């Protein structure tokens, strides 16, 4: 993929819309280490997948958070929790998503996910659920 491709440009647009500067900064870290990975992540992940029609960003973040919890990929949750809040998920919806996942993936993963939720809510000053 090339930084000049339509998918890359759309991916940057989607990232900026969903998470703004923190999202772009995260991509810069990958870019410095291995530019091809950053290009692929932006072009495919956001330029092709997140920008598809039918599902809105809120629905996509619900799916993404559920997948991350299911996999135990908690290191990615902060990024996507912020994106979820930015695209309209309420704090209560996020907490309920984690609770619901506990029934399917187990309490250890749900507890680890809830710690990530609590951290993001604290960083953003969210005190009421």
């Amino acid at each position: 993929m090339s930084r000049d491709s339509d998918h890359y440009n759309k991916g940057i647009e989607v990232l900026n819309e969903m998470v703004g500067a923190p999202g772009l900064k995260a991509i810069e870290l990958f870019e410095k280490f291995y530019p091809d990975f950053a290009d692929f992540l932006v072009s495919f992940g956001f330029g092709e997948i997140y920008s598809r029609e039918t599902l809105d960003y809120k629905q996509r973040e619900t799916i993404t958070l559920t997948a991350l919890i299911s996999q135990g990929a908690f290191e990615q949750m902060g990024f996507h929790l912020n994106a979820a809040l930015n695209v309209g998920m309420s704090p209560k919806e996020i907490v309920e998503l984690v609770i619901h996942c506990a029934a399917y993936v187990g309490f250890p993963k749900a507890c680890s996910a809830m710690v990530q939720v609590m951290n993001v809510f604290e960083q953003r000053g969210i005190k009421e659920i």
Side-chain angles (χ1 to χ4, degrees), residues 93-112:
E93 288 173 318
I94 290 170
V95 168
E96 286 296 325
L97 181 149
V98 174
I99 292 169
H100 190 82
C101 283
Y104 291 91
V105 302
F107 276 95
K109 286 182 179 174
C111 289
S112 293

Side-chain angles (χ1 to χ4, degrees), residues 5-82:
S5 78
D6 290 340
H7 290 291
Y8 182 88
N9 292 330
K10 180 62 177 173
I12 289 294
E13 181 182 312
V14 169
L15 259 172
N16 200 34
E17 188 176 338
M18 291 180 68
V19 289
L24 299 175
K25 187 172 182 96
I27 295 303
E28 283 178 19
L29 294 174
F30 291 125
E31 173 105 6
K32 286 179 185 175
F33 180 73
Y34 197 75
D36 286 353
F37 181 74
D39 286 350
F40 182 71
L41 181 61
V42 170
S43 297
F44 179 71
F46 292 92
E48 291 188 50
I49 299 300
Y50 266 86
S51 65
R52 293 178 59 83
E53 295 181 9
T54 308
L55 299 178
D56 61 25
Y57 293 151
K58 183 177 169 181
Q59 291 168 314
R60 291 183 187 283
E61 282 303 327
T62 299
I63 294 164
T64 300
L65 288 169
T66 301
L68 292 173
I69 294 167
S70 298
Q71 295 175 64
F74 305 113
E75 67 281 353
Q76 293 292 309
M77 281 194 64
F79 179 92
H80 286 284
L81 287 165
N82 278 297

